[in-house]
Amino acid sequence: MSVDMTAETTTPKLATAGDYVELLKPRIMMLVVFTALAGLVAAVGVTGQGINPILATVAILAVALGSGAAGAINMWYDADIDAIMTRTSTRPVPSGLVPKDEALTLGLIMSAVSVLLMWIASNVLAAGLLALSIAYYGWFYTMVLKRRTAQNIVIGGAAGAFPPVIGWAAVTGTTPLDAWILFAIIFFWTPPHFWALSLVAHKEYEKAGVPMLPVTSGTKATRNQILLYTIVLAPIGLAPLVTGLGGWVYGVVGAVLTLTFIYFAVKVWRSEAGEPEAGDAERKLAMGMFAFSILYLFGLFAALIIEHGFGLYFAIGGL
Amino acid sequence: MVEKTATVDEHAVLQLQARKRRNVWLALALVGFVVIVGVSTAIRIQETDFSGGDRLYFSGYLDEAEKEAADREAEARYDALKAEEAARAEAAVNAETADE
């Protein structure tokens, strides 16, 4: 039997491999891989312990797969609220390209594969930390925190903070203070980074019933919190100079980026960003801070890679 | 205006083609996984000192004290073996000297 159907109205789009890649949240994956690489390179530089380059590559691949797995589980669980929000409605699951159960299956299989690969390539500690971070994001943040508390981003931020610790553990089998400083940088960076975006997108979160801070406490409280967390982040971002993890390159890059980040936070704090009467300039300011926050994190971790990966480490201090 | 029409049969064919393309990617991923596990295992075997405290995959550095103790035992066994050989060689030399 052949029935004519118009291609424009009735022929559904067919999923490609690219749609499955989209499930893995590739943009988040890039930042995760970059911070894990920085942790790995810094561990080699600081401790002098080596790791076979192929095994190091497999370890980084495992982190990428783990990040993708957590992203797929998140997309499976959040399909209902993603469909409500304009920004996320075109994602593979809410748009109908990928069935929900396939997203979950992909996430679970990739979780197991990533942890197994990490174990094979490095050690049980790094594999355990990777498993913990996947569970933290895929279950604790997505299923427990996100729809329950306005502190979802603060507590859930730990999930994204694990990669440099995992990278460090993959080399040394330990997680010393320096690794946890890198963890703390990402942990305290996440709230101002995400809240800057939520100042612009809070109506969407409200529509979907997600208790983001601007929805529950208002935009003024959010701007206050952005400034507060940025001020707390500033010394933590420069802490590697105290322990000796960061040298001159990190010092210069970190000082410039930290001052600029504070400048953005103060400007957002003084603005009306997120208010109903706020204009386009305020919207651009909040988005500017969001964009700069990515540059901030990228800059700090790039400085570590340059120093420890390219032999450009010149000590300033150190415990 | 309708730009293009598709039949149910044509759609089924398109779906099949799309699934085949995805399956090719899946197959490549599986082959990649097997290759990665194989290469990683080969490197781990090459780098592991099985005579000492190293254990493939289950090692890491979690039990450093146990690993060091096993390494020391292996070194002691090696030293004892060398000492035994040296003693045998010396005894042989002494025997030759006595014969002369």
Side-chain angles (χ1 to χ4, degrees):
Chain A
M1 187 180 76
S2 289
V3 180
D4 281 343
M5 300 188 302
T6 61
E8 283 178 334
T9 55
T10 54
T11 304
K13 276 182 73 184
L14 299 168
T16 63
D19 293 316
Y20 286 82
V21 171
E22 199 61 33
L23 274 181
L24 314 181
K25 300 193 174 185
R27 281 176 294 278
I28 292 179
M29 191 193 282
M30 281 193 287
L31 204 60
V32 164
V33 163
F34 188 70
T35 54
L37 180 68
L40 188 143
V41 170
V44 172
V46 170
T47 66
Q49 280 187 250
I51 180 170
N52 183 293
I54 295 172
L55 295 182
T57 307
V58 175
I60 293 297
L61 175 71
V63 171
L65 291 177
S67 163
I73 292 170
N74 173 273
M75 287 230 197
W76 160 73
Y77 192 79
D78 277 350
D80 56 339
I81 56 175
D82 280 351
I84 296 169
M85 297 191 286
T86 313
R87 187 173 66 88
T88 54
S89 61
T90 55
R91 284 177 173 175
V93 178
S95 64
L97 283 169
V98 175
K100 264 188 89 173
D101 53 349
E102 284 190 20
L104 176 63
T105 307
L106 183 71
L108 292 176
I109 290 174
M110 278 180 59
S111 299
V113 167
S114 65
V115 173
L116 184 72
L117 280 183
M118 181 59 88
W119 196 351
I120 289 172
S122 58
N123 53 63
V124 71
L125 177 64
L129 285 169
L130 182 61
L132 178 66
S133 68
I134 294 169
Y136 200 101
Y137 185 79
W139 169 71
F140 189 53
Y141 168 71
T142 302
M143 300 180 202
V144 178
L145 296 173
K146 189 172 177 179
R147 302 180 192 212
R148 281 199 175 90
T149 168
Q151 293 299 308
N152 49 16
I153 286 303
V154 178
I155 309 166
F162 274 111
V165 184
I166 296 169
W168 197 295
V171 177
T172 65
T174 58
T175 54
L177 176 65
D178 279 334
W180 292 108
I181 287 175
L182 299 180
F183 176 96
I185 290 172
I186 302 176
F187 183 79
F188 285 99
W189 164 87
T190 306
H193 161 74
F194 201 83
W195 284 335
L197 173 70
S198 69
L199 279 177
V200 177
H202 66 94
K203 291 285 176 204
E204 293 259 284
Y205 288 117
E206 196 173 357
K207 198 167 68 176
V210 180
M212 287 296 168
L213 193 62
V215 177
T216 58
S217 307
T219 51
K220 186 170 170 45
T222 306
R223 293 195 300 273
N224 289 343
Q225 292 290 315
I226 287 175
L227 181 63
L228 184 70
Y229 271 91
T230 307
I231 291 169
V232 172
L233 172 65
I236 295 169
L238 298 174
L241 300 174
V242 180
T243 61
L245 171 62
W248 271 103
V249 175
Y250 187 92
V252 172
V253 172
V256 172
L257 290 175
T258 300
L259 289 173
T260 314
F261 204 9
I262 292 172
Y263 167 78
F264 266 106
V266 171
K267 281 200 79 169
V268 167
W269 178 66
R270 293 177 64 179
S271 76
E272 301 273 295
E275 302 290 348
E277 64 272 16
D280 199 41
E282 271 91 355
R283 188 183 178 283
K284 279 185 179 162
L285 181 62
M287 286 309 289
M289 176 162 187
F290 174 72
F292 179 78
S293 65
I294 297 171
L295 182 68
Y296 170 84
L297 197 71
F298 176 81
L300 290 188
F301 283 83
L304 286 177
I305 292 175
I306 289 167
E307 286 190 328
H308 296 288
F310 296 92
L312 291 171
Y313 176 81
F314 304 105
I316 293 180
L319 292 174
Chain B
M1 191 185 90
V2 177
E3 290 177 347
K4 183 188 168 188
T5 57
T7 64
V8 170
D9 288 346
E10 283 171 354
H11 182 63
V13 170
L14 290 172
Q15 263 188 328
L16 192 66
Q17 285 172 343
R19 192 184 303 152
K20 277 183 178 171
R21 278 195 297 273
R22 293 199 300 268
N23 285 347
V24 169
W25 283 108
L26 199 59
L28 287 173
L30 283 171
V31 170
F33 175 70
V34 171
V35 169
I36 288 169
V37 170
V39 170
S40 300
T41 305
I43 293 170
R44 291 292 296 256
I45 289 171
Q46 202 177 21
E47 290 185 347
T48 302
D49 175 13
F50 290 103
S51 67
D54 289 351
R55 281 175 295 175
L56 193 70
Y57 294 150
F58 301 95
S59 58
Y61 294 89
L62 287 182
D63 200 351
E64 194 69 37
E66 190 190 331
K67 179 179 179 298
E68 279 174 11
D71 281 342
R72 273 197 301 274
E73 275 177 30
E75 276 173 28
R77 279 199 304 274
Y78 178 76
D79 289 343
L81 205 66
K82 294 295 274 183
E84 203 176 300
E85 278 177 14
R88 262 203 305 270
E90 197 181 336
V93 170
N94 288 342
E96 275 177 25
T97 312
D99 286 345
E100 283 168 13

